[in-house]
Amino acid sequence: MDKFQTVLRFFMNQKATIGYSFMALLTIGGERVFSMVSFQCPCNHDQNFAYGLTFLLGPAAVLLVLGLFFNARLWRLYTGCCLNPMKLCPRGRCLGCFRVLMSIITGACVAPIMWLSVALLNGTFYECAVSGLDDNLVVDLFCKNKTLKCREELARVPCGRSKLSEEERMDLLLMFRAQSQILGWCIIIIAATFGLLGTCYKNCRSKVSFLQLTFWKRYMEKEREHFEAYTLDYASKLAERNLQSFFENKDPDPFPFPNHKAWEEISPLYTFSTSEQYYSTLQRYVERVDRDFVPEKRPVIDFEDEIEMK
């Protein structure tokens, strides 16, 4: 049993690494499926560049949008800001809000960068895209020291239907593949360097010690887990109370519920600070001496926010 708990604790501590590894495997698998099943380079000057670039950048753009869409921190920061712009920068901390926003965008860029890196290392999409370029400087670079037919047949090289000799065709393919892999490794090196520099800068500018920062992260994880459990429990109790009142045709029993102001107080994202001995907006709210304990008699949601039961 102790060994099982040790293994479980190890996986819990390394869940970020495991998650990124799983994302990398999915990216590699997805790229291979795209290359082998759906990708068919048209092999003509008019469509090669647009077609190859679409397969190279299209999935990256989709992954970026999905990364932002499924990021709970973004919606926690954004929800309600059109009606109250101060929610974006609570207490006037615009710099802290900007850092949070950059952290959200950086996290959403992980999957697109993985896709671009894997796709460029494979080289299939890049070969199709660059073979359709009409720029004279680029074409002269590709067809340097080759026959004049190279310029005419360049777009057909990725498909193997060109009239060039097999040696010239393989030279061009190897050149395209080398350029693609160099770009892929450049993206990996740049992303890793910026990640390291960003982490070093953030830790260097931290106003708290490493151990306290670690405790804060653990606390936020546990608070999130317990919040999910409490919301599920209270939602079940409220639903049971309402249904019981409806079917038994009687007044509902009193049900203590946080008021709207309390929800607003605990919703903003919290930035740890040494000036406040709190670890979240929830802790800051419950430890306030002027806290409003008056509960709402009934939960009220505006019509625009209602969820239709189906």
Side-chain angles (χ1 to χ4, degrees):
M1 188 64 181
D2 292 339
K3 292 182 179 179
F4 175 76
Q5 291 181 349
T6 302
V7 173
L8 182 62
R9 192 180 304 112
F10 170 79
F11 281 108
M12 290 298 295
N13 292 335
Q14 302 296 325
K15 61 182 180 180
T17 304
I18 296 172
Y20 284 131
S21 301
F22 184 68
M23 187 187 302
L25 291 175
L26 287 179
T27 304
I28 295 172
E31 193 276 337
R32 295 305 300 168
V33 170
F34 269 79
S35 300
M36 298 173 62
V37 177
S38 63
F39 183 78
Q40 296 291 333
C41 187
C43 291
N44 65 68
H45 284 290
D46 297 329
Q47 297 180 356
N48 274 22
F49 181 73
Y51 189 82
L53 205 63
T54 299
F55 271 81
L56 184 63
L57 300 181
V62 173
L63 289 172
L64 177 62
V65 172
L66 291 177
L68 293 172
F69 185 80
F70 290 107
N71 193 306
R73 298 178 69 199
L74 175 64
W75 299 118
R76 189 170 179 179
L77 182 69
Y78 175 79
T79 301
C81 69
C82 292
L83 300 178
N84 183 12
M86 288 302 296
K87 286 186 176 181
L88 282 175
C89 300
R91 301 188 174 189
R93 296 177 178 175
C94 295
L95 184 60
C97 173
F98 177 76
R99 284 200 297 262
V100 171
L101 191 60
M102 288 302 299
S103 174
I104 293 171
I105 295 175
T106 303
C109 287
V110 173
I113 289 175
M114 285 185 178
W115 168 268
L116 287 175
S117 302
V118 172
L120 287 171
L121 289 176
N122 186 29
T124 305
F125 305 144
Y126 179 87
E127 292 171 3
C128 182
V130 297
S131 64
L133 291 174
D134 291 327
D135 188 88
N136 290 329
L137 291 177
V138 177
V139 175
D140 289 341
L141 176 64
F142 292 155
C143 294
K144 184 178 180 181
N145 299 326
K146 291 182 175 58
T147 61
L148 294 177
K149 191 181 293 185
C150 173
R151 302 176 65 91
E152 301 174 1
E153 299 295 322
L154 188 63
R156 298 188 181 92
V157 169
C159 301
R161 299 202 303 260
S162 68
K163 297 178 182 178
L164 298 173
S165 65
E166 186 65 21
E167 183 180 355
E168 286 183 314
R169 177 178 171 274
M170 287 304 301
D171 286 344
L172 288 172
L173 283 177
L174 290 174
M175 182 191 302
F176 294 157
R177 187 68 55 86
Q179 292 174 354
S180 180
Q181 292 178 346
I182 289 172
L183 286 176
W185 277 111
C186 285
I187 290 177
I188 294 174
I189 293 171
I190 292 172
T193 302
F194 272 96
L196 177 62
L197 292 177
T199 303
C200 291
Y201 177 79
K202 184 177 68 173
N203 289 347
C204 181
R205 298 280 298 177
S206 177
K207 297 180 180 180
V208 296
S209 66
F210 175 77
L211 293 179
Q212 190 175 10
L213 198 61
T214 303
F215 174 80
W216 174 47
K217 293 178 181 179
R218 296 290 185 270
Y219 169 80
M220 292 301 296
E221 292 176 1
K222 292 300 179 181
E223 183 185 274
R224 196 178 303 113
E225 293 175 6
H226 287 294
F227 183 81
E228 293 290 337
Y230 266 82
T231 52
L232 180 61
D233 182 48
Y234 268 73
S236 300
K237 290 179 180 178
L238 181 60
E240 183 180 357
R241 168 254 203 184
N242 292 340
L243 290 170
Q244 184 179 12
S245 172
F246 174 76
F247 281 105
E248 296 180 3
N249 196 23
K250 65 177 185 179
D251 292 334
D253 298 329
F255 192 88
F257 205 80
N259 56 36
H260 177 72
K261 184 179 179 181
W263 286 107
E264 290 290 329
E265 288 282 346
I266 70 169
S267 293
L269 289 170
Y270 183 74
T271 303
F272 190 79
S273 173
T274 54
S275 61
E276 298 177 331
Q277 290 299 316
Y278 306 125
Y279 292 96
S280 68
T281 51
L282 177 64
Q283 185 184 5
R284 184 173 62 194
Y285 173 76
V286 299
E287 293 189 8
R288 279 174 46 185
V289 294
D290 59 341
R291 174 182 166 188
D292 183 7
F293 287 96
V294 179
E296 277 187 344
K297 294 183 179 179
R298 54 175 180 162
V300 179
I301 301 179
D302 290 339
F303 181 78
E304 292 84 354
D305 298 327
E306 288 182 355
I307 302 175
E308 183 181 359
M309 293 180 63
K310 296 183 180 180

